[in-house]
Amino acid sequence: MFSVLRASTGIALAACFLTSSAMANTEAKPETAFQMAVAEFAPSGSEIADFYRERGFVAVWVGDTAAHAERRQRLIEGLSAVELHGLPANAYDAQGLVDRLQSAKSARELGAVEVELTRVFAAYAQDMRTGLLRPSDIDDGLVRKVEPTSTAGHLRGLTTSEDAAYFDQLAPSSTQYRALMKQKLALEELVRQGGWGTTVPQAKLELGDTGPAVIAMRNRLVEMGFMNPTASPVFDDALLAGVQRFQIAHGLAADGVAGPGTITELNRTVSDRLKAVYVALERERWLPRERGERHILVNQADFSAKIVDDGFITFETRAVIGKNTHDRRSPEFSDKMEHMVINPSWYVPRSIITKEYLPQLQSNPNAVGHIQITDRSGRQVNRGAVDFTQFTASNFPFAMRQPPSKSNALGLVKFMFPNKHNIYLHDTPQKSLFARESRAFSHGCIRLAQPFEFAYALLAKQEENPKAFFHRILATGKETTVKLEQHVPVHLIYRTAFIGPKGEVQYRRDVYGRDQKIWNALQKAGVALPDVQG
């Protein structure tokens, strides 16, 4: 009989050796019978079938060595703990596998179980490694490439690792992922306990106010950990500080006034925040494991751009992202920054030319006079000689260009990571937008509040005096490309739940509605919140 261990999750683990009764009930040559069963049950033409054929249909899971037992145990333990990662337990049926292992009576039955264990392992390994969902199936702005992992690759990795250590490498090992898992557990416990208490009536509350709404807000902030317990019924300085701490942790203007926006965020349930954490865990599984010792991280939901060196944020600035319309939302993907352009020209995207500028030119040929109209050879076109009314969006033959200047739409510098989406980071003359709480205004590219300082930080790796170098080129007024000697990975992400540099939990609004779509897809795949809703 299989010896049985018990995991901390309470699910029995089929562990050590093949049963003598199973061996006694096989054909005259039980190894051959087992191998024939594996060949029978492995799906024809699949990676699983090819893998077993390469290894002569030898068992990975149900053999009688300590290595086989260790693999079985680690698999069942892993499957039993998938909910810790925000994955659906019923998708893998750990207990069903244990039952089949314990009830196997013949070499054929063991062969069937062997293949089933491999099939489940392959699904589990892929979900842990690259996520339960495929981003492109969720939203057309999720253009991040997440290649399905190779089943054969996982199996080879497993069988060549000592002590089944391969399981430890499946889930992301990033600080963000581990901290999000910890926050998930804390929120799930809060859900079971009933949440953060009474919500705050919709109103505007500020310093000096009194009444039930003030008390409700005070109690909710105390429950959330943003202020110490107090019996004061007045909106006093202690409550003001608590409101500001809450606002900072939720990306709101930290003015200490609880207006409609602050109260809306304050009234969100524990379950709302828990959903954001589940989605963040899935998003973390989508990201490349190797982010780069130095990399750029643009969190669209946080309206921020950061330079990260060896895991530490060394530069951060506010950002403006694409407007929340179908054709302007900033996409999510990773690439490598190769160069910057100082004193850039703005080559107007075709979509802007045809949708915005052509209708204006048809009404008035002198419209958008700050933009040059050029032919296919790049020569400037005399507007007075063109009848713009004869053209449509499909046959308009001209390009448009804004020369370098302080009023250029790209400002005085742009940062390029060439990609088919035509997305890059750049300066802007519209500085007032960075003072807004919500900053979704662009055509899709990322605008930076401190582009010069961003450039200095990038150039510091290759120039002794990066600021002087940058301004020497800027002063020429000429469009100049400066190559980065070391290309820098750029990750355009979208996180409504993340862990700050001091370990603090941060939440942001779902400005594009993408997280809601991801949560809906996770639910459809079997992910569920705890039973008691907060």
Side-chain angles (χ1 to χ4, degrees):
M1 182 177 293
F2 282 105
S3 62
V4 176
L5 303 180
R6 187 161 299 276
S8 58
T9 56
I11 293 185
L13 305 181
C16 293
F17 302 103
L18 288 175
T19 72
S20 57
S21 58
M23 296 295 289
N25 288 327
T26 61
E27 304 289 336
K29 296 182 179 180
E31 291 183 1
T32 302
F34 172 81
Q35 292 166 352
M36 290 177 63
V38 171
E40 175 188 349
F41 289 106
S44 178
S46 67
E47 285 189 80
I48 292 176
D50 292 343
F51 170 78
Y52 276 108
R53 188 177 301 108
E54 289 174 8
R55 60 186 280 115
F57 301 99
V58 173
V60 173
W61 308 100
V62 301
D64 58 1
T65 69
H68 289 98
E70 175 71 8
R71 287 183 202 130
R72 288 196 297 271
Q73 180 167 331
R74 291 300 302 275
L75 176 61
I76 300 301
E77 285 178 341
L79 298 178
S80 302
V82 291
E83 288 181 303
L84 295 175
H85 299 267
L87 296 173
N90 59 3
Y92 313 100
D93 190 16
Q95 186 61 60
L97 289 173
V98 171
D99 293 341
R100 289 190 64 179
L101 279 163
Q102 291 177 323
S103 63
K105 302 298 182 184
S106 68
R108 188 172 187 275
E109 289 175 350
L110 286 170
V113 175
E114 168 76 22
V115 173
E116 181 62 10
L117 286 165
T118 295
R119 184 195 67 76
V120 173
F121 166 74
Y124 163 77
Q126 177 163 305
D127 293 347
M128 290 285 282
R129 188 79 182 175
T130 59
L132 185 66
L133 310 173
R134 302 278 73 80
S136 58
D137 295 338
I138 310 301
D139 185 277
D140 58 10
L142 295 170
V143 296
R144 178 172 302 287
K145 292 182 179 179
V146 180
E147 299 294 338
T149 51
S150 163
T151 295
H154 280 307
L155 289 166
R156 292 189 188 101
L158 173 70
T159 54
T160 57
S161 298
E162 294 183 4
D163 300 322
Y166 193 76
F167 286 95
D168 297 330
Q169 305 168 20
L170 294 175
S173 60
S174 66
T175 301
Q176 275 290 316
Y177 192 81
R178 294 193 300 270
L180 285 166
M181 286 180 67
K182 183 177 179 180
Q183 179 65 5
K184 173 183 170 292
L185 290 173
L187 290 174
E188 286 173 338
E189 183 57 31
L190 275 171
V191 169
R192 295 184 188 97
Q193 293 174 3
W196 288 310
T198 305
T199 57
V200 183
Q202 287 287 347
K204 181 180 179 181
L205 301 172
E206 53 190 334
L207 194 66
D209 287 345
T210 60
V214 171
I215 295 172
M217 183 169 70
R218 177 201 68 195
N219 293 344
R220 200 163 176 85
L221 287 169
V222 169
E223 287 294 323
M224 291 179 169
F226 289 103
M227 61 181 296
N228 295 323
T230 172
S232 174
V234 180
F235 196 135
D236 55 14
D237 288 339
L239 184 52
L240 174 69
V243 170
Q244 289 176 318
R245 282 190 286 269
F246 175 86
Q247 290 170 328
I248 291 170
H250 292 77
L252 307 171
D255 56 9
V257 176
T262 294
I263 291 178
T264 295
E265 295 306 304
L266 190 61
N267 283 340
R268 294 198 184 278
T269 66
V270 178
S271 293
D272 289 336
R273 300 307 185 193
L274 183 54
K275 291 173 187 176
V277 171
Y278 273 73
V279 170
L281 286 167
E282 177 71 359
R283 285 182 171 279
E284 188 73 12
R285 290 188 286 265
W286 292 346
L287 282 177
R289 293 297 174 90
E290 297 299 326
R291 314 284 166 84
E293 291 182 5
R294 157 167 277 205
H295 64 267
I296 296 163
L297 194 67
V298 177
N299 185 352
Q300 298 171 22
D302 185 42
F303 307 109
S304 68
K306 302 177 177 71
I307 296 177
V308 180
D309 288 292
D310 297 318
F312 295 96
I313 297 169
T314 54
F315 179 82
E316 181 174 2
T317 184
R318 290 187 168 203
V320 166
I321 66 170
K323 187 177 180 180
N324 187 24
T325 60
H326 176 71
D327 58 342
R328 294 192 183 184
R329 297 185 189 104
S330 299
E332 300 172 48
F333 63 97
S334 294
D335 212 306
K336 286 191 175 182
M337 186 173 289
E338 299 177 3
H339 63 273
M340 66 181 72
V341 180
I342 304 173
N343 297 312
S345 294
W346 181 42
Y347 297 91
V348 185
R350 181 75 182 178
S351 60
I352 298 178
I353 292 173
T354 57
K355 292 179 181 179
E356 297 184 29
Y357 291 167
L358 178 57
Q360 295 180 51
L361 292 168
Q362 290 172 333
S363 298
N364 176 12
N366 294 315
V368 291
H370 62 293
I371 306 289
Q372 295 177 354
I373 300 176
T374 59
D375 62 18
R376 292 177 180 175
S377 299
R379 294 170 298 194
Q380 190 167 350
V381 172
N382 181 358
R383 291 167 178 253
V386 179
D387 178 10
F388 293 103
T389 62
Q390 68 177 310
F391 299 115
T392 66
S394 61
N395 67 9
F396 187 69
F398 305 116
M400 300 183 76
R401 169 182 174 268
Q402 184 181 20
S405 71
K406 289 184 178 179
S407 61
N408 185 288
L410 304 183
L412 295 172
V413 61
K414 67 177 180 178
F415 305 91
M416 303 299 293
F417 40 106
N419 58 82
K420 65 180 182 181
H421 314 292
N422 199 28
I423 298 296
Y424 43 89
L425 278 58
H426 64 86
D427 182 18
T428 176
Q430 295 179 291
K431 303 296 186 183
S432 63
L433 296 179
F434 295 107
R436 304 282 188 91
E437 185 177 89
S438 181
R439 298 187 290 277
F441 299 106
S442 81
H443 283 84
C445 286
I446 309 299
R447 305 176 189 174
L448 303 179
Q450 297 173 284
F452 288 8
E453 291 80 359
F454 189 81
Y456 307 156
L458 291 174
L459 292 170
K461 293 283 187 177
Q462 62 191 63
E463 298 294 334
E464 185 176 346
N465 190 333
K467 184 175 181 179
F469 174 85
F470 179 88
H471 284 276
R472 186 166 59 250
I473 296 174
L474 185 66
T476 68
K478 295 181 180 179
E479 186 168 359
T480 304
T481 296
V482 177
K483 294 183 179 180
L484 296 178
E485 293 177 1
Q486 291 186 331
H487 294 174
V488 183
V490 180
H491 306 291
L492 302 185
I493 67 171
Y494 182 103
R495 289 287 175 79
T496 62
F498 59 96
I499 310 301
K502 296 181 181 179
E504 72 281 13
V505 183
Q506 300 273 315
Y507 294 104
R508 298 294 184 265
R509 294 171 173 136
D510 187 8
V511 61
Y512 289 162
R514 286 180 186 159
D515 272 20
Q516 183 60 54
K517 290 182 179 180
I518 295 172
W519 170 251
N520 292 342
L522 287 172
Q523 273 194 308
K524 190 175 181 180
V527 174
L529 297 178
D531 291 338
V532 180
Q533 297 297 307

